Structures are given as C-alpha cells and as structure tokens.
Amino acid sequence: AVARLYRLIEMLGQIALYQKTQMLTNKFPIENLPAPLKENYIANYQDYDNPANVKLGLYATFNLLAVMGEPMGELFKSQENQFKNLMQSRNGSILAHGNLPLKEELVVKFFDFVKTIYQPQETLTFPQLFFKIVNKP
C-alpha cells in the first residue's frame, strides 16, 4: 500500500504539471522553466540525452508547481517536512533500501498526506448499474 500511495503522490504531481503546461516531467523543456529555478534545475536534472530538457522527480515537480502558484504544489511545499519523515520510514523498509517491516500506521499517514495535497473540486461519483430481471415463460 505504501508503494502505491507513493506512486499516487508522484502521479498527482505529474498530472497537475501536465494540466498546467501540457508538458511531461520526463522531458520538460528548459526554456519553460521559471527563472528562479532554471540554473538549479539545469545543474541537477538536465537530460544528458536531450540537453534541451530536464527530467523532474517528485520533489522537483512539486517545487515547480509551487513556484508556478499551483495549489497542489503549494500544499506539498507546506507539508514537505512531513513527507520527508514518511519517506524515511518508507526508505528503511524492505520495499526500498532497508529491511524494516512497514506498519499500518505508516500507510494511514501516507493516505492522510494524499488527502492533504489532493483536494478535488468535485465529488467523485461512480456509475450505478441497474438490472431488470425478466422472467421468461
């Protein structure tokens, strides 16, 4: 569950950035970076196979969203220390780089973090199926 929630957080950032810019995190054009981030992002994330682009990881994506004034990016930045603490637990687990078991408490904290940064404007509704049973003679 923790691995899936981590991926969900990553995807939320990728989707928000795409909705804002119509650009992907794995090939984001350097020319579209805001001036305050450009030098740092070139130094740390430049795609050496395609030097006109940067490849953005989770933190870089949310930082970019925050600089662009996107609410999800700003929420992430305001809760970044909490996320780093969650990541320390995840990284020490057998799912990542360690051998510690994961506890349900960590899953709940990851899910709460998702609910903190993802605040949909509309309520999700799921289609309902109705079946009519016909008795054949």
Side-chain angles (χ1 to χ4, degrees):
V2 167
R4 288 187 169 117
L5 288 168
Y6 172 84
R7 178 64 183 124
L8 175 59
I9 293 165
E10 187 176 51
M11 285 180 82
L12 288 170
Q14 291 168 341
I15 291 166
L17 186 63
Y18 186 80
Q19 287 175 335
K20 175 81 174 171
T21 66
Q22 281 67 58
M23 294 173 211
L24 301 173
T25 58
N26 67 339
K27 51 184 173 183
F28 195 90
I30 289 172
E31 67 185 31
N32 292 86
L33 289 170
L37 298 179
K38 197 171 278 194
E39 185 178 330
N40 177 276
Y41 277 37
I42 290 170
N44 291 298
Y45 308 116
Q46 189 168 27
D47 182 353
Y48 294 107
D49 292 330
N50 188 350
N53 294 339
V54 289
K55 290 184 174 187
L56 306 176
L58 183 143
Y59 288 103
T61 298
F62 280 104
N63 191 40
L64 177 57
L65 287 168
V67 168
M68 292 177 157
E70 284 298 305
M72 189 182 300
E74 293 170 347
L75 285 168
F76 183 91
K77 291 299 287 180
S78 73
Q79 302 295 316
E80 190 170 358
N81 287 336
Q82 177 191 355
F83 185 73
K84 285 181 179 180
N85 290 336
L86 293 172
M87 288 304 296
Q88 284 181 330
S89 297
R90 174 208 170 256
N91 290 342
S93 78
I94 198 161
L95 286 174
H97 311 291
N99 57 7
L100 300 174
L102 292 175
K103 297 185 175 161
E104 182 179 349
E105 175 185 341
L106 182 62
V107 175
V108 171
K109 287 180 179 180
F110 258 92
F111 187 59
D112 288 342
F113 186 83
V114 169
K115 292 187 292 186
T116 297
I117 65 164
Y118 180 63
Q119 300 175 349
Q121 301 301 312
E122 298 176 17
T123 304
L124 298 175
T125 55
F126 293 92
Q128 295 181 3
L129 300 175
F130 296 98
F131 296 95
K132 182 178 181 181
I133 300 174
V134 178
N135 292 328
K136 293 185 177 184

